[in-house]
Amino acid sequence: MRLNKDDIFSISSEEEFNAQALAIFQYQAKNISVYGEYLNLINRPIDSVQHYREIPFLPIELFKSQKVLPEHAQAEVIFTSSGTTGQITSQHFVEDVSVYEQSFRLAFQQFYRQPKDLVILALLPSYLERSGSSLIYMVDDLIKHSAQQESGYFLYNHQELYDTLISLKSSKKKTILIGVTYALLDFIEQYQLDFPELIVMETGGMKGKRKEMIREELHALLSTGFNVETIHSEYGMTELLSQAYSSGYGIFSCPNWMKIVLRDTNDPLTLLDEPKKTGAINVIDLANYNSCSFIATQDLGKFHSENTFEILGRFDQSDIRGCNLLVQ
């Protein structure tokens, strides 16, 4: 069975989302062996699922120990997560990388604009210094499709980045700076900017370079350092082929083929219905139809409205109940 990706990326209603989610669930339950085994272990027959909220979510840890890919399929690209020395990292075997390209291009266009209309600057040293980063794959593509000669990467050359930003402010070009959190902080400790029109997007995480900070404190520092009203954020991960975006205050929105549902932190098979109640984040990413579209993450969050949500942090392995059935 081959699913039609154009149907996924043209979803425009809850009914269409539900129909596509159920079709993908049926396919993955039968063709992704680790997912089928998980469904058997939790005693969830395929035909018992009638709505996307009834679909079981695969624990994200399994991407560290299992090949989440249809039987006999070959991976065109393997994305890997970052990790400290000795840490087991996730691997996402991507059968058709064009699906990822279509997903991030359409989502970026939905929340921002066509890359050709933007200067795209990237301050992502920890990602550039390793292989297999899905974020670098995306940013490479966005920079490639930017029609602006200033677009590009900056590793540790902060003076060059500062000079470029000053020039872009003067020329009034629409600019987005995508940066790993610790590198943005390093930059504003050396340079102060007054560029209110700049879009600053932090990709999250200190990567072991700095002490972790709460979002409000971090965004306050970055807003002051760049003199921008809000800090944008991207919510994505190695195991997904879609991203949610925040234009400020830590409130994220999903593209139409992606949803967030919350589960009880003490009972991973129970979803929460109560608005604004804190729970663990489950992600439905229909672009992930060639691996697993239904993933139970280790992030904590809460809903707001209109399919928007907030990330509150992470919980460690000791806090996860019942998600270790297949973890080796």
Side-chain angles (χ1 to χ4, degrees):
M1 173 185 176
R2 284 285 174 180
L3 295 157
N4 187 339
K5 65 180 180 180
D6 292 331
D7 290 341
I8 293 168
F9 294 123
S10 62
I11 288 172
S12 60
S13 69
E14 181 79 357
E15 292 74 22
E16 290 178 358
F17 185 92
N18 188 55
Q20 288 296 316
L22 290 174
I24 290 171
F25 166 70
Q26 291 276 338
Y27 171 72
Q28 293 179 346
K30 296 171 184 175
N31 291 277
I32 310 294
S33 59
V34 62
Y35 189 43
E37 185 180 349
Y38 178 69
L39 295 173
N40 288 334
L41 284 169
I42 63 172
N43 193 27
R44 187 66 64 87
I46 298 174
D47 57 9
S48 69
V49 175
Q50 302 299 318
H51 191 271
Y52 71 78
R53 286 184 60 85
E54 299 169 2
I55 295 173
F57 290 81
L58 188 72
I60 198 168
E61 304 96 303
L62 294 175
F63 282 83
K64 294 181 178 180
S65 62
Q66 308 288 329
K67 189 174 183 178
V68 186
L69 192 69
E71 294 294 322
H72 311 300
Q74 296 296 317
E76 184 177 357
V77 171
I78 302 173
F79 292 130
T80 58
S81 63
S82 57
T84 56
T85 303
Q87 201 175 47
I88 299 173
T89 58
S90 293
Q91 289 188 306
H92 189 180
F93 296 84
V94 180
E95 182 181 3
D96 182 358
V97 76
S98 72
V99 178
Y100 181 45
E101 293 169 350
Q102 189 169 357
S103 178
F104 69 65
R105 287 170 186 167
L106 289 172
F108 190 84
Q109 181 180 339
Q110 178 180 333
F111 292 108
Y112 294 95
R113 56 175 68 187
Q114 291 276 12
K116 67 181 179 63
D117 299 324
L118 285 167
V119 176
I120 300 172
L121 309 178
L123 185 61
L124 300 164
S126 58
Y127 292 95
L128 281 173
E129 293 168 329
R130 68 175 184 85
S131 61
S133 166
S134 57
L135 178 64
I136 292 298
Y137 191 101
M138 178 179 77
V139 174
D140 276 346
D141 187 87
L142 296 176
I143 289 173
K144 177 183 175 182
H145 287 90
S146 168
Q148 313 303 317
Q149 64 179 3
E150 298 91 343
S151 294
Y153 287 98
F154 297 82
L155 195 55
Y156 296 104
N157 44 340
H158 289 177
Q159 180 65 53
E160 184 182 352
L161 174 58
Y162 177 77
D163 293 342
T164 300
L165 287 167
I166 292 296
S167 174
L168 289 167
K169 179 191 174 184
S170 176
S171 64
K172 301 186 184 304
K173 286 190 174 183
K174 190 71 174 177
T175 303
I176 182 168
L177 171 61
I178 304 172
V180 63
T181 305
Y182 79 84
L184 292 172
L185 290 171
D186 289 347
F187 177 78
I188 62 169
E189 285 180 355
Q190 289 183 281
Y191 303 94
Q192 293 286 300
L193 275 174
D194 180 18
F195 195 167
E197 299 80 19
L198 177 66
I199 296 172
V200 179
M201 180 188 293
E202 55 97 1
T203 64
M206 294 298 185
K207 308 301 178 187
K209 304 288 187 179
R210 284 173 173 259
K211 183 180 177 181
E212 294 292 339
M213 301 169 64
I214 63 170
R215 176 184 53 78
E216 290 83 0
E217 180 184 5
L218 167 65
H219 284 199
L221 286 172
L222 293 176
S223 293
T224 300
F226 290 98
N227 192 26
V228 294
E229 183 176 350
T230 64
I231 300 298
H232 293 228
S233 304
E234 179 250 8
Y235 181 70
M237 56 191 71
T238 300
E239 300 83 357
L240 301 178
L241 294 184
S242 299
Q243 303 79 29
Y245 289 101
S246 167
S247 59
Y249 311 107
I251 308 301
F252 290 88
S253 298
C254 295
N256 293 343
W257 56 91
M258 179 182 182
K259 279 189 187 293
I260 301 297
V261 295
L262 299 182
R263 69 182 186 272
D264 190 313
T265 55
N266 294 309
D267 181 1
L269 302 182
T270 299
L271 301 186
L272 301 178
D273 292 312
E274 211 174 314
K276 297 203 173 181
K277 187 173 181 180
T278 300
I281 289 179
N282 289 346
V283 179
I284 303 176
D285 178 9
L286 299 185
N288 240 14
Y289 64 82
N290 281 326
S291 55
C292 187
S293 291
F294 314 98
I295 298 176
T297 78
Q298 296 175 355
D299 296 326
L300 289 170
K302 68 178 181 180
F303 279 123
H304 286 265
S305 59
E306 300 298 324
N307 200 29
T308 62
F309 64 99
E310 181 180 359
I311 303 295
L312 301 176
R314 293 173 64 84
F315 51 108
D316 61 32
Q317 285 293 120
S318 64
D319 292 321
I320 300 172
R321 308 285 189 264
C323 284
N324 302 312
L325 288 168
L326 298 176
V327 180
Q328 299 177 352

